[in-house]
């Protein structure tokens, strides 16, 4: 009797630098598109591709990473694990996106974001050695992000969720807050 193998994994990546703020725009744009898509996996996958490509282009700002996951043989258990990781990521410090249409004229007075943590949770069918390993090195992380992109184009994604902290323009994630709220991150 054939069984379907599901992999559920979450990748956390910390970026730091004075030029990472534009990444918040990409992340918030994809968050808005995900909400409007109401769970359409093709739209969510395209958003994941755009985010992964933006992260790959921002490699010089990568500072630390962590990943976790599991192989699950029952779809309902995989869905429960995705929900558990979703809830955990959503409760992380400053991880609620800014989905309002506020157009403040005071945007130039907001503090510059110098730290961003991106948390990507995916579920897919089959195997992927590049995601089922420790991703706390530059080369492993590059392969993992490229594999996420490929999973979308192979139609193997079953769930996609992205959280990020800080999620709103003007919010700041300090070094102390980073250590306190994202202690599992390992320096690259």
């Amino acid at each position: 009797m054939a069984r379907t193998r599901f992999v559920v994994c979450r990748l956390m990546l910390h970026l730091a630098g004075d030029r990472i703020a534009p990444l918040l725009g990409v992340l918030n744009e994809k968050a808005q598109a995900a909400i409007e898509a109401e769970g359409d996996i093709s739209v969510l996958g395209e958003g994941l591709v755009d985010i992964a490509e933006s992260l790959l282009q921002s490699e010089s700002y990568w500072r630390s990473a962590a990943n976790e996951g599991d192989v699950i043989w029952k779809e309902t258990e995989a869905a429960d694990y995705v929900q558990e990781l979703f809830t955990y990521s959503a409760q992380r410090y400053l991880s609620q996106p800014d989905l309002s249409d506020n157009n403040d004229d005071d945007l130039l007075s907001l503090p510059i974001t110098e730290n961003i943590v991106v948390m990507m949770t995916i579920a897919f069918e089959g195997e992927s050695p590049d995601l089922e390993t420790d991703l706390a090195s530059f080369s492993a992380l590059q392969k993992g992000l490229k594999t996420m992109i490929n999973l979308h184009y192979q139609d193997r994604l079953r769930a996609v969720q992205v959280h990020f902290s800080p999620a709103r323009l003007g919010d700041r994630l300090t070094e102390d807050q980073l250590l306190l709220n994202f202690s599992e991150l390992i320096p690259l």
Side-chain angles (χ1 to χ4, degrees):
M1 183 165 139
R3 293 173 43 178
T4 303
R5 181 181 196 268
F6 296 95
V7 177
V8 178
C9 61
R10 178 173 58 179
L11 168 64
M12 297 175 69
L13 175 59
H14 165 227
L15 298 92
D18 58 358
R19 296 180 187 241
I20 60 168
L23 183 58
L24 278 179
V26 172
L27 293 165
N28 274 296
E29 177 185 328
K30 299 309 167 190
Q32 184 65 46
I35 289 169
E36 291 171 3
E38 297 180 356
D40 182 339
I41 194 67
S42 64
V43 174
L44 299 176
E46 283 297 326
L48 178 70
V49 166
D50 292 342
I51 291 168
E53 288 175 345
S54 293
L55 292 173
L56 285 165
Q57 293 169 1
S58 303
E59 180 183 312
S60 61
Y61 301 107
W62 296 358
R63 296 298 177 261
S64 55
N67 65 300
E68 63 181 305
D70 206 352
V71 173
I72 300 170
W73 295 97
K74 292 183 179 178
E75 188 171 2
T76 55
E77 290 178 15
D80 290 345
Y81 189 38
V82 167
Q83 187 60 40
E84 178 184 327
L85 290 177
F86 172 86
T87 302
Y88 185 65
S89 294
Q91 294 172 346
R92 299 307 284 257
Y93 184 75
L94 296 175
S95 66
Q96 298 303 312
D98 184 7
L99 301 174
S100 65
D101 290 333
N102 294 344
N103 291 327
D104 293 337
D105 293 331
D106 299 332
L107 291 179
L108 295 177
S109 65
L110 295 173
I112 296 174
T113 301
E114 295 178 353
N115 290 298
I116 298 174
V117 176
V118 180
M119 299 165 272
M120 298 177 288
T121 302
I122 63 168
F124 60 91
E125 286 186 34
E127 295 182 24
S128 181
D130 290 334
L131 288 172
E132 297 178 52
T133 187
D134 181 10
L135 298 179
S137 74
F138 275 95
S139 61
L141 194 51
Q142 287 172 330
K143 287 178 185 176
L145 289 169
K146 290 175 183 176
T147 297
M148 286 183 173
I149 292 169
N150 290 334
L151 287 171
H152 168 67
Y153 292 121
Q154 295 166 356
D155 291 322
R156 291 175 50 202
L157 290 173
R158 296 299 169 256
V160 175
Q161 300 168 345
V162 179
H163 291 87
F164 43 99
S165 175
R168 298 174 191 221
L169 189 61
D171 285 346
R172 293 187 65 209
L173 180 63
T174 67
E175 293 295 326
D176 289 341
Q177 292 165 334
L178 187 68
L179 290 172
L180 180 67
N181 297 288
F182 300 96
S183 59
E184 63 268 61
L185 291 169
I186 299 167
L188 295 170

